[in-house]
mmCIF file of all heavy atoms in Angstrom:
data_model
loop_
_atom_site.group_PDB
_atom_site.id
_atom_site.type_symbol
_atom_site.label_atom_id
_atom_site.label_comp_id
_atom_site.label_asym_id
_atom_site.label_seq_id
_atom_site.Cartn_x
_atom_site.Cartn_y
_atom_site.Cartn_z
ATOM 1 N N ASP A 5 105.455 85.299 92.916
ATOM 2 C CA ASP A 5 105.296 84.314 93.995
ATOM 3 C C ASP A 5 104.910 82.928 93.423
ATOM 4 O O ASP A 5 104.066 82.824 92.547
ATOM 5 C CB ASP A 5 104.169 84.713 94.959
ATOM 6 C CG ASP A 5 104.559 85.871 95.831
ATOM 7 O OD1 ASP A 5 105.769 86.036 96.102
ATOM 8 O OD2 ASP A 5 103.652 86.573 96.298
ATOM 9 N N THR A 6 105.510 81.915 93.998
ATOM 10 C CA THR A 6 105.039 80.570 93.760
ATOM 11 C C THR A 6 103.988 80.257 94.800
ATOM 12 O O THR A 6 103.944 80.895 95.867
ATOM 13 C CB THR A 6 106.212 79.532 93.888
ATOM 14 O OG1 THR A 6 106.639 79.555 95.257
ATOM 15 C CG2 THR A 6 107.324 79.839 92.940
ATOM 16 N N PRO A 7 103.102 79.296 94.567
ATOM 17 C CA PRO A 7 102.130 78.898 95.594
ATOM 18 C C PRO A 7 102.854 78.496 96.915
ATOM 19 O O PRO A 7 102.348 78.807 97.994
ATOM 20 C CB PRO A 7 101.393 77.721 94.969
ATOM 21 C CG PRO A 7 101.483 77.970 93.505
ATOM 22 C CD PRO A 7 102.830 78.574 93.287
ATOM 23 N N GLU A 8 103.978 77.848 96.811
ATOM 24 C CA GLU A 8 104.719 77.425 98.000
ATOM 25 C C GLU A 8 105.214 78.627 98.795
ATOM 26 O O GLU A 8 105.139 78.653 100.023
ATOM 27 C CB GLU A 8 105.913 76.518 97.599
ATOM 28 C CG GLU A 8 105.506 75.208 96.978
ATOM 29 C CD GLU A 8 105.128 75.300 95.483
ATOM 30 O OE1 GLU A 8 105.436 76.334 94.838
ATOM 31 O OE2 GLU A 8 104.502 74.377 95.001
ATOM 32 N N ALA A 9 105.723 79.637 98.090
ATOM 33 C CA ALA A 9 106.210 80.828 98.780
ATOM 34 C C ALA A 9 105.039 81.573 99.426
ATOM 35 O O ALA A 9 105.144 82.049 100.582
ATOM 36 C CB ALA A 9 106.919 81.747 97.791
ATOM 37 N N PHE A 10 103.915 81.627 98.752
ATOM 38 C CA PHE A 10 102.721 82.282 99.303
ATOM 39 C C PHE A 10 102.246 81.519 100.545
ATOM 40 O O PHE A 10 101.857 82.108 101.542
ATOM 41 C CB PHE A 10 101.633 82.413 98.256
ATOM 42 C CG PHE A 10 100.418 83.146 98.763
ATOM 43 C CD1 PHE A 10 100.455 84.522 98.965
ATOM 44 C CD2 PHE A 10 99.250 82.463 99.072
ATOM 45 C CE1 PHE A 10 99.337 85.198 99.454
ATOM 46 C CE2 PHE A 10 98.140 83.116 99.537
ATOM 47 C CZ PHE A 10 98.169 84.492 99.724
ATOM 48 N N TYR A 11 102.239 80.205 100.453
ATOM 49 C CA TYR A 11 101.846 79.353 101.568
ATOM 50 C C TYR A 11 102.704 79.661 102.798
ATOM 51 O O TYR A 11 102.197 79.851 103.920
ATOM 52 C CB TYR A 11 101.911 77.864 101.246
ATOM 53 C CG TYR A 11 101.760 76.982 102.456
ATOM 54 C CD1 TYR A 11 100.463 76.718 102.951
ATOM 55 C CD2 TYR A 11 102.857 76.502 103.147
ATOM 56 C CE1 TYR A 11 100.323 75.946 104.093
ATOM 57 C CE2 TYR A 11 102.700 75.750 104.282
ATOM 58 C CZ TYR A 11 101.449 75.468 104.752
ATOM 59 O OH TYR A 11 101.294 74.720 105.888
ATOM 60 N N ARG A 12 104.017 79.723 102.607
ATOM 61 C CA ARG A 12 104.913 80.000 103.726
ATOM 62 C C ARG A 12 104.618 81.365 104.330
ATOM 63 O O ARG A 12 104.584 81.535 105.565
ATOM 64 C CB ARG A 12 106.384 79.918 103.281
ATOM 65 C CG ARG A 12 106.874 78.494 103.115
ATOM 66 C CD ARG A 12 108.388 78.409 102.883
ATOM 67 N NE ARG A 12 108.840 79.132 101.698
ATOM 68 C CZ ARG A 12 108.843 78.632 100.472
ATOM 69 N NH1 ARG A 12 108.445 77.397 100.265
ATOM 70 N NH2 ARG A 12 109.289 79.360 99.475
ATOM 71 N N ARG A 13 104.381 82.363 103.469
ATOM 72 C CA ARG A 13 104.132 83.734 103.980
ATOM 73 C C ARG A 13 102.808 83.781 104.726
ATOM 74 O O ARG A 13 102.722 84.372 105.819
ATOM 75 C CB ARG A 13 104.166 84.731 102.804
ATOM 76 C CG ARG A 13 104.429 86.125 103.266
ATOM 77 C CD ARG A 13 104.865 87.070 102.184
ATOM 78 N NE ARG A 13 104.008 87.127 101.028
ATOM 79 C CZ ARG A 13 104.293 86.618 99.827
ATOM 80 N NH1 ARG A 13 105.435 85.960 99.632
ATOM 81 N NH2 ARG A 13 103.459 86.734 98.849
ATOM 82 N N LEU A 14 101.778 83.137 104.193
ATOM 83 C CA LEU A 14 100.479 83.113 104.865
ATOM 84 C C LEU A 14 100.559 82.331 106.172
ATOM 85 O O LEU A 14 100.075 82.783 107.211
ATOM 86 C CB LEU A 14 99.420 82.512 103.942
ATOM 87 C CG LEU A 14 97.988 82.422 104.495
ATOM 88 C CD1 LEU A 14 97.467 83.798 104.902
ATOM 89 C CD2 LEU A 14 97.065 81.796 103.460
ATOM 90 N N SER A 15 101.184 81.181 106.107
ATOM 91 C CA SER A 15 101.344 80.349 107.291
ATOM 92 C C SER A 15 102.109 81.073 108.398
ATOM 93 O O SER A 15 101.731 81.031 109.564
ATOM 94 C CB SER A 15 102.039 79.049 106.923
ATOM 95 O OG SER A 15 102.085 78.173 108.005
ATOM 96 N N ASP A 16 103.192 81.753 108.025
ATOM 97 C CA ASP A 16 103.979 82.514 109.016
ATOM 98 C C ASP A 16 103.140 83.673 109.601
ATOM 99 O O ASP A 16 103.240 83.932 110.777
ATOM 100 C CB ASP A 16 105.237 83.112 108.356
ATOM 101 C CG ASP A 16 106.299 82.064 108.047
ATOM 102 O OD1 ASP A 16 106.174 80.920 108.537
ATOM 103 O OD2 ASP A 16 107.252 82.395 107.321
ATOM 104 N N ALA A 17 102.319 84.308 108.780
ATOM 105 C CA ALA A 17 101.519 85.454 109.226
ATOM 106 C C ALA A 17 100.475 85.040 110.269
ATOM 107 O O ALA A 17 100.097 85.873 111.107
ATOM 108 C CB ALA A 17 100.849 86.139 108.032
ATOM 109 N N VAL A 18 100.046 83.818 110.243
ATOM 110 C CA VAL A 18 99.000 83.349 111.150
ATOM 111 C C VAL A 18 99.490 82.354 112.178
ATOM 112 O O VAL A 18 98.710 81.784 112.957
ATOM 113 C CB VAL A 18 97.781 82.794 110.397
ATOM 114 C CG1 VAL A 18 97.198 83.877 109.486
ATOM 115 C CG2 VAL A 18 98.138 81.542 109.619
ATOM 116 N N SER A 19 100.810 82.107 112.194
ATOM 117 C CA SER A 19 101.339 81.161 113.160
ATOM 118 C C SER A 19 101.065 81.638 114.588
ATOM 119 O O SER A 19 101.050 82.838 114.859
ATOM 120 C CB SER A 19 102.842 80.954 112.949
ATOM 121 O OG SER A 19 103.550 82.118 113.315
ATOM 122 N N GLY A 20 100.762 80.704 115.423
ATOM 123 C CA GLY A 20 100.470 81.055 116.821
ATOM 124 C C GLY A 20 99.036 81.456 117.044
ATOM 125 O O GLY A 20 98.646 81.751 118.163
ATOM 126 N N SER A 21 98.215 81.484 115.993
ATOM 127 C CA SER A 21 96.818 81.850 116.153
ATOM 128 C C SER A 21 96.050 80.631 116.610
ATOM 129 O O SER A 21 96.098 79.575 116.025
ATOM 130 C CB SER A 21 96.221 82.291 114.797
ATOM 131 O OG SER A 21 96.919 83.411 114.292
ATOM 132 N N ASP A 22 95.313 80.795 117.739
ATOM 133 C CA ASP A 22 94.506 79.685 118.214
ATOM 134 C C ASP A 22 93.175 79.608 117.477
ATOM 135 O O ASP A 22 92.607 78.531 117.321
ATOM 136 C CB ASP A 22 94.311 79.753 119.728
ATOM 137 C CG ASP A 22 93.699 81.057 120.186
ATOM 138 O OD1 ASP A 22 93.822 82.068 119.480
ATOM 139 O OD2 ASP A 22 93.084 81.063 121.279
ATOM 140 N N GLN A 23 92.671 80.733 117.019
ATOM 141 C CA GLN A 23 91.461 80.793 116.184
ATOM 142 C C GLN A 23 91.794 81.649 114.958
ATOM 143 O O GLN A 23 92.450 82.658 115.074
ATOM 144 C CB GLN A 23 90.303 81.459 116.931
ATOM 145 C CG GLN A 23 89.737 80.673 118.080
ATOM 146 C CD GLN A 23 88.448 81.381 118.531
ATOM 147 O OE1 GLN A 23 87.419 81.258 117.908
ATOM 148 N NE2 GLN A 23 88.565 82.109 119.615
ATOM 149 N N LEU A 24 91.305 81.208 113.811
ATOM 150 C CA LEU A 24 91.688 81.876 112.571
ATOM 151 C C LEU A 24 90.521 81.933 111.592
ATOM 152 O O LEU A 24 89.825 80.938 111.369
ATOM 153 C CB LEU A 24 92.860 81.096 111.910
ATOM 154 C CG LEU A 24 93.323 81.560 110.551
ATOM 155 C CD1 LEU A 24 93.840 83.003 110.584
ATOM 156 C CD2 LEU A 24 94.437 80.641 110.055
ATOM 157 N N LEU A 25 90.318 83.120 111.031
ATOM 158 C CA LEU A 25 89.366 83.318 109.927
ATOM 159 C C LEU A 25 90.164 83.896 108.770
ATOM 160 O O LEU A 25 90.805 84.932 108.902
ATOM 161 C CB LEU A 25 88.256 84.304 110.341
ATOM 162 C CG LEU A 25 87.310 84.741 109.221
ATOM 163 C CD1 LEU A 25 86.588 83.544 108.563
ATOM 164 C CD2 LEU A 25 86.332 85.757 109.707
ATOM 165 N N LEU A 26 90.100 83.206 107.638
ATOM 166 C CA LEU A 26 90.741 83.670 106.408
ATOM 167 C C LEU A 26 89.679 84.257 105.491
ATOM 168 O O LEU A 26 88.636 83.638 105.249
ATOM 169 C CB LEU A 26 91.404 82.487 105.687
ATOM 170 C CG LEU A 26 92.514 81.783 106.481
ATOM 171 C CD1 LEU A 26 92.795 80.418 105.887
ATOM 172 C CD2 LEU A 26 93.773 82.632 106.514
ATOM 173 N N LEU A 27 89.910 85.479 105.019
ATOM 174 C CA LEU A 27 89.067 86.105 104.028
ATOM 175 C C LEU A 27 89.880 86.232 102.760
ATOM 176 O O LEU A 27 90.913 86.909 102.775
ATOM 177 C CB LEU A 27 88.578 87.472 104.514
ATOM 178 C CG LEU A 27 87.798 87.525 105.830
ATOM 179 C CD1 LEU A 27 87.478 88.981 106.185
ATOM 180 C CD2 LEU A 27 86.548 86.675 105.766
ATOM 181 N N VAL A 28 89.448 85.584 101.691
ATOM 182 C CA VAL A 28 90.221 85.568 100.464
ATOM 183 C C VAL A 28 89.436 86.240 99.331
ATOM 184 O O VAL A 28 88.228 86.280 99.373
ATOM 185 C CB VAL A 28 90.659 84.136 100.058
ATOM 186 C CG1 VAL A 28 91.532 83.528 101.151
ATOM 187 C CG2 VAL A 28 89.445 83.244 99.796
ATOM 188 N N ASP A 29 90.177 86.712 98.348
ATOM 189 C CA ASP A 29 89.530 87.530 97.316
ATOM 190 C C ASP A 29 88.625 86.742 96.381
ATOM 191 O O ASP A 29 87.511 87.171 96.105
ATOM 192 C CB ASP A 29 90.570 88.350 96.547
ATOM 193 C CG ASP A 29 91.646 87.538 95.858
ATOM 194 O OD1 ASP A 29 91.691 86.293 96.026
ATOM 195 O OD2 ASP A 29 92.457 88.156 95.154
ATOM 196 N N VAL A 30 89.078 85.595 95.893
ATOM 197 C CA VAL A 30 88.275 84.901 94.866
ATOM 198 C C VAL A 30 88.451 83.396 94.996
ATOM 199 O O VAL A 30 89.567 82.894 95.164
ATOM 200 C CB VAL A 30 88.635 85.382 93.440
ATOM 201 C CG1 VAL A 30 90.071 85.122 93.117
ATOM 202 C CG2 VAL A 30 87.708 84.805 92.404
ATOM 203 N N LYS A 31 87.364 82.677 94.938
ATOM 204 C CA LYS A 31 87.395 81.220 94.983
ATOM 205 C C LYS A 31 88.142 80.690 93.757
ATOM 206 O O LYS A 31 87.930 81.134 92.626
ATOM 207 C CB LYS A 31 85.979 80.679 94.982
ATOM 208 C CG LYS A 31 85.880 79.169 94.934
ATOM 209 C CD LYS A 31 84.445 78.712 94.825
ATOM 210 C CE LYS A 31 84.369 77.240 94.558
ATOM 211 N NZ LYS A 31 83.021 76.805 94.242
ATOM 212 N N GLY A 32 89.048 79.744 93.999
ATOM 213 C CA GLY A 32 89.766 79.119 92.915
ATOM 214 C C GLY A 32 91.104 79.727 92.581
ATOM 215 O O GLY A 32 91.872 79.149 91.809
ATOM 216 N N GLY A 33 91.400 80.904 93.141
ATOM 217 C CA GLY A 33 92.691 81.507 92.909
ATOM 218 C C GLY A 33 93.721 80.953 93.893
ATOM 219 O O GLY A 33 93.395 80.248 94.834
ATOM 220 N N THR A 34 94.968 81.314 93.686
ATOM 221 C CA THR A 34 96.032 80.835 94.550
ATOM 222 C C THR A 34 95.770 81.177 96.028
ATOM 223 O O THR A 34 95.956 80.298 96.880
ATOM 224 C CB THR A 34 97.405 81.372 94.092
ATOM 225 O OG1 THR A 34 97.650 80.869 92.757
ATOM 226 C CG2 THR A 34 98.530 80.931 95.011
ATOM 227 N N PRO A 35 95.345 82.363 96.379
ATOM 228 C CA PRO A 35 95.104 82.633 97.799
ATOM 229 C C PRO A 35 94.053 81.709 98.400
ATOM 230 O O PRO A 35 94.231 81.205 99.509
ATOM 231 C CB PRO A 35 94.621 84.095 97.826
ATOM 232 C CG PRO A 35 95.319 84.724 96.650
ATOM 233 C CD PRO A 35 95.255 83.633 95.593
ATOM 234 N N SER A 36 92.993 81.405 97.674
ATOM 235 C CA SER A 36 91.975 80.475 98.249
ATOM 236 C C SER A 36 92.480 79.062 98.247
ATOM 237 O O SER A 36 92.211 78.307 99.184
ATOM 238 C CB SER A 36 90.648 80.611 97.493
ATOM 239 O OG SER A 36 90.719 80.088 96.188
ATOM 240 N N ASN A 37 93.194 78.676 97.215
ATOM 241 C CA ASN A 37 93.710 77.300 97.165
ATOM 242 C C ASN A 37 94.743 77.049 98.292
ATOM 243 O O ASN A 37 94.724 76.001 98.921
ATOM 244 C CB ASN A 37 94.363 77.012 95.799
ATOM 245 C CG ASN A 37 93.317 76.970 94.681
ATOM 246 O OD1 ASN A 37 92.121 76.833 94.937
ATOM 247 N ND2 ASN A 37 93.790 77.162 93.458
ATOM 248 N N VAL A 38 95.596 78.025 98.527
ATOM 249 C CA VAL A 38 96.563 77.914 99.612
ATOM 250 C C VAL A 38 95.819 77.954 100.954
ATOM 251 O O VAL A 38 96.150 77.198 101.880
ATOM 252 C CB VAL A 38 97.637 78.998 99.504
ATOM 253 C CG1 VAL A 38 98.449 79.106 100.764
ATOM 254 C CG2 VAL A 38 98.534 78.721 98.296
ATOM 255 N N SER A 39 94.824 78.788 101.066
ATOM 256 C CA SER A 39 94.040 78.892 102.299
ATOM 257 C C SER A 39 93.362 77.540 102.602
ATOM 258 O O SER A 39 93.204 77.172 103.754
ATOM 259 C CB SER A 39 93.018 79.991 102.216
ATOM 260 O OG SER A 39 93.657 81.248 102.183
ATOM 261 N N ALA A 40 92.952 76.846 101.548
ATOM 262 C CA ALA A 40 92.330 75.529 101.740
ATOM 263 C C ALA A 40 93.274 74.579 102.479
ATOM 264 O O ALA A 40 92.825 73.740 103.273
ATOM 265 C CB ALA A 40 91.918 74.952 100.405
ATOM 266 N N LEU A 41 94.563 74.698 102.208
ATOM 267 C CA LEU A 41 95.531 73.878 102.911
ATOM 268 C C LEU A 41 95.535 74.203 104.407
ATOM 269 O O LEU A 41 95.625 73.307 105.241
ATOM 270 C CB LEU A 41 96.934 74.070 102.340
ATOM 271 C CG LEU A 41 97.158 73.662 100.889
ATOM 272 C CD1 LEU A 41 98.524 74.094 100.394
ATOM 273 C CD2 LEU A 41 96.964 72.136 100.747
ATOM 274 N N LEU A 42 95.431 75.492 104.744
ATOM 275 C CA LEU A 42 95.400 75.878 106.135
ATOM 276 C C LEU A 42 94.100 75.449 106.800
ATOM 277 O O LEU A 42 94.095 75.072 107.977
ATOM 278 C CB LEU A 42 95.599 77.391 106.277
ATOM 279 C CG LEU A 42 96.997 77.908 106.007
ATOM 280 C CD1 LEU A 42 97.059 79.419 106.114
ATOM 281 C CD2 LEU A 42 98.018 77.300 106.946
ATOM 282 N N VAL A 43 92.993 75.487 106.064
ATOM 283 C CA VAL A 43 91.724 74.994 106.603
ATOM 284 C C VAL A 43 91.881 73.544 106.993
ATOM 285 O O VAL A 43 91.477 73.107 108.074
ATOM 286 C CB VAL A 43 90.575 75.179 105.602
ATOM 287 C CG1 VAL A 43 89.331 74.451 106.027
ATOM 288 C CG2 VAL A 43 90.264 76.685 105.414
ATOM 289 N N LYS A 44 92.494 72.761 106.119
ATOM 290 C CA LYS A 44 92.717 71.348 106.364
ATOM 291 C C LYS A 44 93.647 71.134 107.535
ATOM 292 O O LYS A 44 93.382 70.294 108.419
ATOM 293 C CB LYS A 44 93.294 70.684 105.104
ATOM 294 C CG LYS A 44 93.459 69.194 105.232
ATOM 295 C CD LYS A 44 93.955 68.594 103.928
ATOM 296 C CE LYS A 44 94.206 67.110 104.101
ATOM 297 N NZ LYS A 44 94.789 66.513 102.901
ATOM 298 N N GLU A 45 94.724 71.887 107.636
ATOM 299 C CA GLU A 45 95.729 71.734 108.677
ATOM 300 C C GLU A 45 95.255 72.205 110.038
ATOM 301 O O GLU A 45 95.508 71.581 111.056
ATOM 302 C CB GLU A 45 97.024 72.462 108.296
ATOM 303 C CG GLU A 45 97.765 71.877 107.172
ATOM 304 C CD GLU A 45 98.908 72.750 106.699
ATOM 305 O OE1 GLU A 45 99.256 73.776 107.395
ATOM 306 O OE2 GLU A 45 99.440 72.496 105.621
ATOM 307 N N LYS A 46 94.609 73.396 110.028
ATOM 308 C CA LYS A 46 94.272 74.075 111.295
ATOM 309 C C LYS A 46 92.804 73.953 111.687
ATOM 310 O O LYS A 46 92.436 74.337 112.780
ATOM 311 C CB LYS A 46 94.655 75.541 111.225
ATOM 312 C CG LYS A 46 96.134 75.812 111.099
ATOM 313 C CD LYS A 46 96.374 77.318 111.053
ATOM 314 C CE LYS A 46 97.824 77.656 111.127
ATOM 315 N NZ LYS A 46 98.318 77.772 112.491
ATOM 316 N N GLY A 47 91.966 73.498 110.744
ATOM 317 C CA GLY A 47 90.544 73.447 111.042
ATOM 318 C C GLY A 47 89.941 74.842 111.178
ATOM 319 O O GLY A 47 88.956 75.025 111.888
ATOM 320 N N CYS A 48 90.536 75.797 110.484
ATOM 321 C CA CYS A 48 90.054 77.198 110.587
ATOM 322 C C CYS A 48 88.931 77.438 109.577
ATOM 323 O O CYS A 48 88.500 76.540 108.874
ATOM 324 C CB CYS A 48 91.218 78.155 110.364
ATOM 325 S SG CYS A 48 92.012 78.020 108.745
ATOM 326 N N HIS A 49 88.481 78.652 109.520
ATOM 327 C CA HIS A 49 87.388 79.048 108.640
ATOM 328 C C HIS A 49 87.930 79.918 107.517
ATOM 329 O O HIS A 49 88.847 80.708 107.716
ATOM 330 C CB HIS A 49 86.294 79.815 109.411
ATOM 331 C CG HIS A 49 85.719 78.965 110.506
ATOM 332 N ND1 HIS A 49 84.655 78.136 110.299
ATOM 333 C CD2 HIS A 49 86.075 78.819 111.815
ATOM 334 C CE1 HIS A 49 84.386 77.502 111.432
ATOM 335 N NE2 HIS A 49 85.228 77.905 112.360
ATOM 336 N N CYS A 50 87.308 79.799 106.332
ATOM 337 C CA CYS A 50 87.749 80.585 105.202
ATOM 338 C C CYS A 50 86.505 81.011 104.402
ATOM 339 O O CYS A 50 85.642 80.168 104.089
ATOM 340 C CB CYS A 50 88.676 79.758 104.307
ATOM 341 S SG CYS A 50 89.277 80.642 102.870
ATOM 342 N N VAL A 51 86.434 82.301 104.061
ATOM 343 C CA VAL A 51 85.319 82.822 103.258
ATOM 344 C C VAL A 51 85.917 83.483 102.018
ATOM 345 O O VAL A 51 86.836 84.323 102.156
ATOM 346 C CB VAL A 51 84.478 83.853 104.060
ATOM 347 C CG1 VAL A 51 83.353 84.391 103.210
ATOM 348 C CG2 VAL A 51 83.946 83.238 105.354
#
């Protein structure tokens, strides 16, 4: 996976969500870095 491909998959998986909590495995890895983009875009929460 590229970060872009992972972003699309994550974004598609949560599309239509009015409230969102992201739980990611490790700070600084691709899942958390991509999730940070969704936090910025959607104002959601990420742990």
Side-chain angles (χ1 to χ4, degrees):
D5 287 334
T6 64
E8 295 79 15
F10 183 73
Y11 170 82
R12 284 189 300 275
R13 202 162 54 253
L14 180 58
S15 185
D16 288 348
V18 300
S19 68
S21 302
D22 56 336
Q23 291 189 77
L24 175 60
L25 172 60
L26 300 162
L27 302 178
V28 298
D29 58 356
V30 62
K31 176 185 171 188
T34 298
S36 70
N37 293 341
V38 166
S39 293
L41 296 172
L42 288 177
V43 169
K44 184 177 176 184
E45 291 170 11
K46 295 181 172 272
C48 61
H49 299 273
C50 181
V51 180

